[in-house]
Amino acid sequence: MNRLASFVRLAALAGTVAAGGLVNAAGGTADRMYVLECGESKTSDVSANWSPGVDVGVAREFSNNCYLIVRGERLLLWDSGMSDSIAANAAGVSAAGGLLTLWVRKPLAAQLEMLGIPPSAVTDIAFSHFHADHVGNANLFTSAKVYVQQIEYAAAFGPDAAKFGFNRALYGRLEGNPAVKLNGDHDVFGDGSVVILSTPGHTPGHQCLLVRLPGRGPVVLSGDLVHFAENWAHRRVPSRNFSSEQSMNSMEKVAALLAKEQAELWINHDKAQSAAIPKAPAAIR
Ligand SMILES: [Zn+2]
């Protein structure tokens, strides 16, 4: 990091971050983060949803990660990946009306076990949104406090969950968890180390996560704000998103934050970018 970037980062940590109404940054950092591989998928035509009118008939593979953030005694899991049950089918499982084939080669539960973490030890959990590739193992985490936008919670646990593309069977056990229902950004630990960013559009209550790491610096975990680096560069909105207008606004909100914080954007489903990020058991600090 050059000196100017250091100065910009310190200045951002010291003061209020105005971009997108983000809460005060009190200078805290998470201790470390683990990136877990939580499934893979492939489409035979990326233009069918993710890049409308572009790359018609072109196949594309997607990565999918979960992120475990350690802050003192607290363990926050961000997204829970595709269901571990998919691992039983080595040839993959067809999903989204044949639009996608899914694989799980490393069950999440086994990866947590490798780190010595039973699901009951996860104290806090948040999802970028309630689509199946992000809440696939949610039911494992019945003792965690859930952080969710109120509008997403209402959609996921309401009578019309399926209309939003949500499968309640995957996360229904969380209905009894303590839940922090949000209407915007939220500083999870009150010290600026981990901040939920309200970024609606892909779903009604989609959110991203800003994680400030002591060495690596600030990182924004994208969820499905955007699926690939090219889509980010061209601000492409998938055709099946809940709201195109909200999607565009949310991308601009995050772009402003990245510039202000000199933060990295980790695009969850971008396979090439994900391949360059160290995976558990390596810790990112
Ligand atoms: Zn997704």
Side-chain angles (χ1 to χ4, degrees), residues 186-270:
H186 180 68
D187 185 344
V188 177
F189 301 129
D191 61 2
S193 60
V194 178
V195 182
I196 289 172
L197 308 169
S198 171
T199 51
H202 184 67
T203 61
H206 185 277
Q207 46 192 19
C208 298
L209 194 70
L210 169 64
V211 182
R212 292 192 173 95
L213 292 163
R216 181 117 187 178
V219 172
V220 173
L221 306 179
S222 69
D224 286 8
L225 173 77
V226 61
H227 291 75
F228 322 119
E230 307 93 291
N231 281 11
W232 176 246
H234 297 284
R235 299 290 193 270
R236 290 184 192 130
V237 176
S239 51
R240 295 186 180 190
N241 272 18
F242 172 71
S243 163
S244 291
E245 186 183 357
Q246 288 181 353
S247 299
M248 290 299 295
N249 291 340
S250 290
M251 284 194 279
E252 292 311 322
K253 170 180 173 172
V254 170
L257 176 70
L258 296 176
K260 181 141 191 154
E261 295 254 347
Q262 297 289 293
E264 299 177 55
L265 178 63
W266 287 9
I267 302 176
N268 179 60
H269 288 307
D270 188 307

Side-chain angles (χ1 to χ4, degrees), residues 50 64 128-129 131 133-134 202 223-224 227 268-269:
W50 299 272
N64 193 31
S128 57
H129 62 296
H131 282 159
D133 52 328
H134 300 262
H202 184 67
D224 286 8
H227 291 75
N268 179 60
H269 288 307

